[in-house]
Amino acid sequence: MAAIGRFVKNAWNKEPVITVSCGIGLLACALPALSPLTKYTGMMNQAVPYNYPGISPSRSLCMLDIRVIRGFLRLQQL
């Protein structure tokens, strides 16, 4: 732990801007794991279904492609 303290003190004396930016970056990476909202976000993700009944993603994309192709063919005929 003392070695880390010496390293940070040395880095702060040489390059304070880079030291601060690295500290902000480390804080930004660690903060979501420490946030209480992470717990509630996980609970909501478990409660909400991923696939909704009656909506098939593959079918809706297929129907969209058919409509786009038909519209393109109509434009070609004009």
Side-chain angles (χ1 to χ4, degrees):
M1 195 66 162
I4 295 173
R6 277 184 276 145
F7 174 77
V8 171
K9 186 176 180 181
N10 187 25
W12 179 259
N13 289 333
K14 289 184 178 181
E15 297 289 339
V17 174
I18 294 175
T19 306
V20 169
S21 66
C22 289
I24 291 171
L26 289 171
L27 184 65
C29 291
L31 196 60
L34 302 175
S35 173
L37 294 177
T38 305
K39 173 185 172 185
Y40 298 112
T41 303
M43 290 169 59
M44 286 182 64
N45 285 339
Q46 288 178 350
V48 176
Y50 184 73
N51 294 325
Y52 291 95
I55 299 175
S56 172
S58 60
R59 181 167 167 79
S60 63
L61 288 176
C62 180
M63 295 304 289
L64 178 66
D65 290 344
I66 291 172
R67 288 187 216 127
V68 168
I69 291 171
R70 285 182 182 164
F72 179 75
L73 292 176
R74 283 191 199 126
L75 288 175
Q76 291 293 326
Q77 291 174 355
L78 296 176

